[in-house]
Amino acid sequence: MFTLPELPYAYDALGPYISKDIMVVHHTKHHQAYVDKFNKALESVPELKNRSLDSLLSEPDTIPDVIRLAIKNNGGGHYNHSLFWQGMTPGGGGEPTGELGKQIIQKYGSFQGFVDEFTTKSLGVFGSGWAWLQPNLEITTTVNQDTPIGQGLPTPLLGLDVWEHAYYLDYKNKRDDYVQAWWNVVNWDFVATRFDS
Ligand code: MN
């Protein structure tokens, strides 16, 4: 059985950039629903019981047809949100230092160049999806709850949820305002630790 991970901070900790109202609904309703539906799908196929989340998502060919989509959507929702929470922290934002900061500047010309490209790709996701920072510092996107590992890519360093449910209560339809705000809560220490390892 997969379970909803606790947030590494309080529900109101990311204000004013992401409100308590959004965090509560997003974590206790949306993420919880993915976990519940994921477990329900797995229950119907006992042979998958001991498989890890990574293996279930990165080897879709090994999942029986009847639950493949449920695993991709709900397992993916669980995977994506679990990473999303960790990529944010109160008092976050700013710029990464160390090797990560150096290599981002090398690749994008400046930190702002990186922010601009990540922002543009996030805003370019049509409908619901995610933007990702890959270990090679490429920026990719996925639709719905598809995961980078489901596309044969490595485990990402950082993910941004651009589903409307992630911002509508605070920002209505203005995804760009949400993305601008999100930069203020990015947990660069978390990202740098993943990058260094
Ligand atoms: Mn979400």
Side-chain angles (χ1 to χ4, degrees), residues 26 30 34 81 84-85 130 145 161 163 165-166:
H26 201 173
H30 291 280
Y34 293 121
H81 286 88
F84 180 56
W85 310 131
W130 292 76
Q145 294 299 354
D161 188 347
W163 282 57
H165 71 221

Side-chain angles (χ1 to χ4, degrees), residues 25-64:
V25 172
H26 201 173
H27 183 250
T28 69
K29 305 295 182 192
H30 291 280
H31 189 171
Q32 181 72 63
Y34 293 121
V35 170
D36 292 345
K37 288 178 187 167
F38 184 36
N39 284 327
K40 194 151 186 252
L42 288 171
E43 259 171 37
S44 65
V45 186
E47 77 227 40
L48 297 178
K49 221 166 147 187
N50 295 318
R51 294 268 298 272
S52 69
L53 179 58
D54 276 48
S55 139
L56 289 166
L57 295 172
S58 63
E59 299 161 49
D61 295 349
T62 66
I63 310 292

Side-chain angles (χ1 to χ4, degrees), residues 138-155:
E138 291 287 326
I139 300 159
T140 64
T141 60
T142 55
V143 297
N144 301 318
Q145 294 299 354
D146 290 5
T147 58
I149 62 170
Q151 302 179 322
L153 294 172
T155 303

Side-chain angles (χ1 to χ4, degrees), residues 117-190:
E117 183 158 339
F118 193 100
T119 299
T120 299
K121 289 205 168 158
S122 305
L123 300 180
V125 174
F126 182 75
S128 299
W130 292 76
W132 304 101
L133 178 60
Q134 293 295 327
N136 64 1
L137 304 184
E138 291 287 326
I139 300 159
T140 64
T141 60
T142 55
V143 297
N144 301 318
Q145 294 299 354
D146 290 5
T147 58
I149 62 170
Q151 302 179 322
L153 294 172
T155 303
L157 302 177
L158 177 71
L160 171 60
D161 188 347
V162 293
W163 282 57
E164 272 194 351
H165 71 221
Y167 58 89
Y168 202 83
L169 282 177
D170 285 354
Y171 298 101
K172 297 296 187 288
N173 58 313
K174 297 199 171 93
R175 184 188 288 179
D176 49 347
D177 288 354
Y178 158 69
V179 174
Q180 288 309 326
W182 173 77
W183 289 111
N184 292 289
V185 294
V186 172
N187 187 348
W188 285 115
D189 290 341
F190 171 77

